[in-house]
Amino acid sequence: MRKKTSKVIFSICFSFVLLCLAIFLSMEIAMAQNNKSSIVSINVGVVLDMDEWFGKMSMSCISVALSDFYSSDHGSSYQTRLVLHTRDSKRDIVGAAAAALDLLKNVEVEAIIGPISSMQADFLINLGKKSQVPIISFSATSPSLSSYRNPYFIRATQNDSSQVKPITSIIQSFGWRQVVLVYVDNQFGEGIIPYLADELEKINVRIPYRSVIPESATDDVIKYELTKLMSMQTRVFIVHMTSTLGSRLFATAKENGMMSEGYVWIVTDAMANGLNSMDSSVIESMEGVIGVKPYVLRDKRVDDFTSRWKMKFRKENPTMVNVELDVYGLWAYDSATALAMAVEKSRISGAPFRKPNVSGNATDLEVFGVSRDGPKLLQAVLNTTFTGLGGDFQIVDGQLQSPPYQMINIVGNGIKEIGFWTKENGIAKKLNSRSGYSISKENFGSIIWPGDTTSVPRGWVIPTNGKKLKIGVPVKDGFTEFVKVTRDFSTNTTTVTGYCIDIFDAVMEALPYYVPYEYVPFAAPDGKSAGDYNALVYQVFLGKFDVVVGDTTIVSNRSQFIDFTLPFTESGVTMMVPIKDNNRDNAWVFLKPLTWELWLTSFCSFVFIGFVIWLLEHRVNEDFRGPPWQQVGMIFWFSFSTMVFAQKERIVSNLARFVLIIWFLVVLILTQSYTASLTSMLTVQKLQPTITDVKELLNNKEYVGYQSGSFVLGILRKMNFDEDRLKEYNTPEECVDLLSKGSANGGIGAVFDEIPYVKLFLANYCSKFTTVGPTYKTDGFGFAFPIGSPLVPDVSRAVLNVTEGEKMGQIARAWFGESTCSDSSRSLSSNSLGLDSFWGLFVIAVVAAVFALLIFLTKFIHEHWHIIRRPNLSFPERTRILASKFDGKDYSSHTFKKSELRDAMEDSARDIYSSQSPRGSLSMLPSPRTNGPPSPSNSSHTEQSLHISGEEGASPLRNENVAVRAQVEMV
């Protein structure tokens, strides 16, 4: 019974499960049928060149993209489906326009994917603007196509202008100064050129030639154009054209020998992206070529898609071999995916177009309507972002954002990565480098250049057609030592010689390669100069001369349209004036050896030293005593007599002797210097410039001269000289004549010229003229080349080698000789001796005098300290007493001790003699120390007594005579 019950329960449960399953399945089927019936089909047009591999590849990628998207978990739930309507543009602009017109008029598509080329897109985007239908192109890269002018144009690819910076970074890294642009003659080729030219100009790279090759050019046309390139100096070429034309170009270049050492070829992404699909023979002919292309990360998704795409493409196109997927196929895939997402997001329903009100005779361009859903769909596409196979898909300003660029090098049959370029880091070996912005060539990987070499090409060579450089030289009448043009009319030959010519020849010999050149005078048919120096150097800019060689000064206005080498002469403009000798006829020339400061300092020093000596000697020396005016006279007499060492007064104080020793040294040096300077002034011709300052010329309205054709005229105008006060000259002889006359006699007061001319002039006329005033800075003589000339760096280095070597001196001596004149600046009167040369001596003398004076005062105050300390005396009384003490004699001095003893004995002797002799008195005899009357000192000491002892028992007279004699002998 239990078994039956169990079976019944099991049967009921099983039946219930089956019933539920059947109900669930029926519901799913019903829902699927409902969803299928609710899916909205959106018509989308595709315009491609369907008979080319690129068009087939792109169409295959678009169809795979929609299949992958709608079969994915995310896309399967979408309520919209894109229905593709393909049209063949037949590789023609009109064909593309007709296909688009058919899609807009008859199918009323909501969007168009394509076309392939920029030329086709130029017309299509105008149709899209008129019908408000988005035109999405994944391969129209020309910068001339702008979403600003055509808002319904969406560039789902890179703008060609975005690769300009990576290309110019390569040029800048290797220091090439000239490049030739080689591009196809259509809108695609021309679109990048203005951007490339502007960026090259920013880095001072010149474009000497643009090679434009027609899209339908034959091999003969390509060969002819390449032959022209071979005849030029430049060896750096930037190629911007499609892979089809580019492959023929490089094959022909290989045949012409232009893929050898010394050449540089850089291709844009138009060729770099298609290298994988080129024939191996073409790749071999491109060995050494450098290219740039957008970097795409090859992850698992890309590899998986590439495998599936190859299988599908080979099945659909079994006759096409060696076709590889490139980045344009990835962008086509992403474009289709983005459009599918945008259609769903915009919730458009595929509403019919609004038909315009037109007459029955309207053209096809007038009868197609305007999309109702176009504006919504456009905004949805612009706001769509996702990570696609080609990288981040994000439309900004109507175009895909620029990814990093990959730099490649073609080696053998393969492609080698040599670096990356990003906006943040510039050139780097690795993509994620954090080293900061840099464009150093060290950041590249190893590069194989054309000719299978690793040496970086110089970027230019001497033309292979044997053309010589045309060297323009000035034609001038004066200063022919610099440049001289001699014309032989009998043989119709021209010879160019001179200092500048020899320098240029030596420089060209110093180059590490041979450069053929010839000198061409800048002359009119009559043999005269065809213009000034500005006109001469401008011929280089016009292309009539390749170089200008001569006494051409480097100035700023000329450097705006030519490049100068480093200068090979001294620089600057200076003023030259006549000189005169005005010392010999000057009655006051004896005052000129010393400046007035030194004269005044010397006078004060003499007086000061005389005063110090008087202070030190007054109390101990009879020669420095007497009435006040006699003492004042003694101060001046003694001090100034030391100037010629004529003083006769005896100095008894050690302090005074110390001061005089130092002072005699000062006087000796000062007098000897004065004597030497005065002797030089009177015996050597001393010349003075007639004018010493530019202001003097301006204030006196003097006439001023300048060399004909020189830029110095502009300097004089800036210095505010009147035009009617300026006179030009051509030869040194004319200059001498004008300067000799002077402004008052129809000549000039001064000359302004460049230092090399002035030096040459003074070498012959240094006794009559000299330079004065400041030097106005210029950059000297240089050689003029076209802007961006690759010769300039090498020639500048050669100039340094020549100017620093012995060759420069040899050339100078050959043309200028050895000057027989001394330096004119040495002939000019030197400055008078100033205080700066002697202040040290005066300081020493003053310090010594002050030191001695301090010792004297200290000793004097110490001796009379009892007077200073008396409390009952006022300050004036103390001062009077001290002054009287100073004015009195210092009897403690050994000088007065000897004098007093001698005077006392003489007085005693006279007294004795007078007592024994009736004739007179000894007191009336003259002092034995003098030849005049008795010394006044004898009467000043009468109050003193002298006791003389004698022998007992001797006669008084005899004893006294013996005593006096003994005392005198002691003295």
Side-chain angles (χ1 to χ4, degrees), residues 494-512:
T494 302
T495 304
V496 182
T497 57
Y499 171 76
C500 298
I501 303 301
D502 286 356
I503 292 293
F504 184 75
D505 291 339
V507 167
M508 300 309 284
E509 290 178 2
L511 292 176

Short mmCIF file of all heavy atoms in Angstrom, two decimals, residues 494-512:
data_model
loop_
_atom_site.label_atom_id
_atom_site.label_comp_id
_atom_site.label_asym_id
_atom_site.label_seq_id
_atom_site.Cartn_x
_atom_site.Cartn_y
_atom_site.Cartn_z
N THR A 494 88.29 88.38 -63.92
CA THR A 494 88.22 89.13 -62.67
C THR A 494 89.00 88.39 -61.60
O THR A 494 88.84 87.18 -61.43
CB THR A 494 86.77 89.32 -62.22
OG1 THR A 494 86.05 90.01 -63.25
CG2 THR A 494 86.69 90.13 -60.93
N THR A 495 89.82 89.13 -60.87
CA THR A 495 90.61 88.55 -59.78
C THR A 495 90.18 89.20 -58.48
O THR A 495 90.09 90.43 -58.39
CB THR A 495 92.11 88.78 -60.00
OG1 THR A 495 92.49 88.25 -61.27
CG2 THR A 495 92.92 88.10 -58.90
N VAL A 496 89.93 88.37 -57.48
CA VAL A 496 89.50 88.86 -56.17
C VAL A 496 90.56 88.49 -55.15
O VAL A 496 90.92 87.32 -55.01
CB VAL A 496 88.14 88.27 -55.77
CG1 VAL A 496 87.70 88.83 -54.42
CG2 VAL A 496 87.09 88.58 -56.82
N THR A 497 91.08 89.50 -54.45
CA THR A 497 92.11 89.27 -53.44
C THR A 497 91.76 90.07 -52.20
O THR A 497 90.81 90.85 -52.18
CB THR A 497 93.50 89.68 -53.96
OG1 THR A 497 93.45 91.06 -54.34
CG2 THR A 497 93.93 88.84 -55.15
N GLY A 498 92.55 89.89 -51.16
CA GLY A 498 92.36 90.66 -49.95
C GLY A 498 92.42 89.81 -48.69
O GLY A 498 92.45 88.58 -48.73
N TYR A 499 92.46 90.52 -47.59
CA TYR A 499 92.54 89.87 -46.28
C TYR A 499 91.33 88.96 -46.04
O TYR A 499 91.48 87.80 -45.63
CB TYR A 499 92.62 90.96 -45.21
CG TYR A 499 92.51 90.46 -43.79
CD1 TYR A 499 93.57 89.83 -43.15
CD2 TYR A 499 91.34 90.65 -43.07
CE1 TYR A 499 93.47 89.38 -41.85
CE2 TYR A 499 91.22 90.22 -41.76
CZ TYR A 499 92.29 89.58 -41.16
OH TYR A 499 92.16 89.14 -39.87
N CYS A 500 90.12 89.47 -46.29
CA CYS A 500 88.90 88.66 -46.06
C CYS A 500 88.86 87.46 -46.99
O CYS A 500 88.37 86.39 -46.60
CB CYS A 500 87.67 89.53 -46.26
SG CYS A 500 87.53 90.92 -45.12
N ILE A 501 89.35 87.63 -48.21
CA ILE A 501 89.35 86.52 -49.17
C ILE A 501 90.28 85.41 -48.70
O ILE A 501 89.93 84.22 -48.74
CB ILE A 501 89.75 87.03 -50.56
CG1 ILE A 501 88.80 88.14 -51.01
CG2 ILE A 501 89.76 85.89 -51.57
CD1 ILE A 501 87.35 87.75 -51.08
N ASP A 502 91.46 85.79 -48.23
CA ASP A 502 92.41 84.78 -47.74
C ASP A 502 91.86 84.07 -46.50
O ASP A 502 92.09 82.86 -46.33
CB ASP A 502 93.75 85.43 -47.43
CG ASP A 502 94.52 85.78 -48.69
OD1 ASP A 502 94.03 85.44 -49.79
OD2 ASP A 502 95.60 86.39 -48.59
N ILE A 503 91.17 84.82 -45.65
CA ILE A 503 90.58 84.18 -44.47
C ILE A 503 89.54 83.15 -44.90
O ILE A 503 89.51 82.03 -44.38
CB ILE A 503 89.94 85.24 -43.56
CG1 ILE A 503 91.01 86.13 -42.92
CG2 ILE A 503 89.10 84.59 -42.46
CD1 ILE A 503 91.92 85.43 -41.95
N PHE A 504 88.68 83.51 -45.85
CA PHE A 504 87.65 82.57 -46.30
C PHE A 504 88.27 81.34 -46.96
O PHE A 504 87.82 80.21 -46.74
CB PHE A 504 86.70 83.27 -47.27
CG PHE A 504 85.55 82.41 -47.72
CD1 PHE A 504 84.47 82.15 -46.87
CD2 PHE A 504 85.53 81.83 -48.97
CE1 PHE A 504 83.41 81.35 -47.27
CE2 PHE A 504 84.48 81.02 -49.39
CZ PHE A 504 83.41 80.80 -48.54
N ASP A 505 89.31 81.55 -47.76
CA ASP A 505 89.98 80.40 -48.37
C ASP A 505 90.55 79.47 -47.31
O ASP A 505 90.46 78.24 -47.43
CB ASP A 505 91.10 80.89 -49.30
CG ASP A 505 90.54 81.59 -50.54
OD1 ASP A 505 89.36 81.36 -50.88
OD2 ASP A 505 91.29 82.37 -51.16
N ALA A 506 91.15 80.05 -46.28
CA ALA A 506 91.72 79.22 -45.21
C ALA A 506 90.62 78.48 -44.46
O ALA A 506 90.81 77.32 -44.06
CB ALA A 506 92.52 80.10 -44.25
N VAL A 507 89.49 79.14 -44.26
CA VAL A 507 88.37 78.50 -43.57
C VAL A 507 87.83 77.32 -44.37
O VAL A 507 87.57 76.24 -43.82
CB VAL A 507 87.26 79.52 -43.28
CG1 VAL A 507 85.97 78.83 -42.86
CG2 VAL A 507 87.70 80.50 -42.20
N MET A 508 87.67 77.51 -45.67
CA MET A 508 87.14 76.43 -46.51
C MET A 508 88.13 75.27 -46.60
O MET A 508 87.72 74.11 -46.69
CB MET A 508 86.81 76.95 -47.91
CG MET A 508 85.77 78.06 -47.93
SD MET A 508 84.25 77.67 -47.02
CE MET A 508 83.48 76.55 -48.17
N GLU A 509 89.41 75.56 -46.53
CA GLU A 509 90.41 74.49 -46.51
C GLU A 509 90.36 73.71 -45.20
O GLU A 509 90.71 72.52 -45.17
CB GLU A 509 91.81 75.07 -46.71
CG GLU A 509 92.07 75.61 -48.10
CD GLU A 509 93.44 76.22 -48.22
OE1 GLU A 509 94.19 76.19 -47.21
OE2 GLU A 509 93.78 76.74 -49.30
N ALA A 510 89.90 74.37 -44.14
CA ALA A 510 89.84 73.70 -42.84
C ALA A 510 88.61 72.82 -42.70
O ALA A 510 88.51 72.07 -41.72
CB ALA A 510 89.84 74.75 -41.72
N LEU A 511 87.66 72.89 -43.63
CA LEU A 511 86.48 72.03 -43.56
C LEU A 511 86.88 70.58 -43.81
O LEU A 511 87.83 70.30 -44.56
CB LEU A 511 85.43 72.47 -44.58
CG LEU A 511 84.75 73.82 -44.34
CD1 LEU A 511 83.81 74.15 -45.51
CD2 LEU A 511 83.98 73.80 -43.04
N PRO A 512 86.16 69.65 -43.22
CA PRO A 512 86.51 68.23 -43.41
C PRO A 512 86.06 67.66 -44.76
O PRO A 512 86.14 66.46 -44.97
CB PRO A 512 85.77 67.54 -42.25
CG PRO A 512 84.61 68.43 -41.97
CD PRO A 512 85.08 69.83 -42.24
#
